[in-house]
Amino acid sequence: MSESQPILDVRALHKSFGPLAVLKGVDLRVKLRELVFVIGPSGSGKSTLLRCCNRLEEPSSGSIRVEGVDIMAPGVDINAVRRRIGMVFQSFNLYPHLSALGNVALALRKVLAKSRTDAEELGRQALARVGLAEKARAFPNELSGGQQQRVAIARALALEPAIVLFDEPTSALDPELVGSVLAVMRELRESGMTMVVVSHEMRFARSAADRVIFMDDGLILEEGAPDKIFNGPDHPRIKDFLASIEH
């Protein structure tokens, strides 16, 4: 695909849970090496949007293309698509009986069918990338929350995705541990990783995002450069939201 094509192209996306409409026609395009930050109040549909982008949630209607592949098409190899979409969750989802290296290497062995030796070598490289080379043999209960989240990021990076989706990656962390995770994300951004981040870390959004999207009630109300959204939004709902939180 050409650099002019979006890596992620979402059009007219709807998602309902029974009678509850959570997404009401969302359009989102993410370009190569872009960091898009999604903000908005709880219940606005931000996490559902991310989960639809790799079909962890099945969209009710609309289209989603990843690297030009229609992931809603009948017969699409969704597992092959998911290999190109890294996902980092609020909860770290690490296997407690495996070391940090074991958690990262397992994904490589199961998803990419790497040998144990190759998987562990690539796993060490991924852990080094998030600053945890010395913690390869540590188990999750021996790691801080911030370190566990960085292992989860390493697990996603090891598969060499085209785009990484972050769903509230720091919300489960104690405040003093947030910085280490944001530092890794900033480094990824500087290395050219394409990312979509749902988070309440407004300071990070201001300084690191290429584009900020504001969602409310299942719709994108406004999007633009961080300076525009934070300092001069057009929509009054955004002004109210920003006034209600510390940023």
Side-chain angles (χ1 to χ4, degrees), residues 180-193:
S180 65
V181 173
L182 294 183
V184 169
M185 293 172 66
R186 189 180 299 276
E187 199 168 285
L188 291 178
R189 185 241 186 282
E190 291 169 356
S191 73
M193 176 61 72

Side-chain angles (χ1 to χ4, degrees), residues 106-122:
L106 181 66
L108 288 159
R109 291 168 59 202
K110 295 294 186 184
V111 178
L112 299 185
K114 298 286 185 184
S115 69
R116 181 182 294 272
T117 300
D118 289 347
E120 291 193 351
E121 176 56 32
L122 292 169

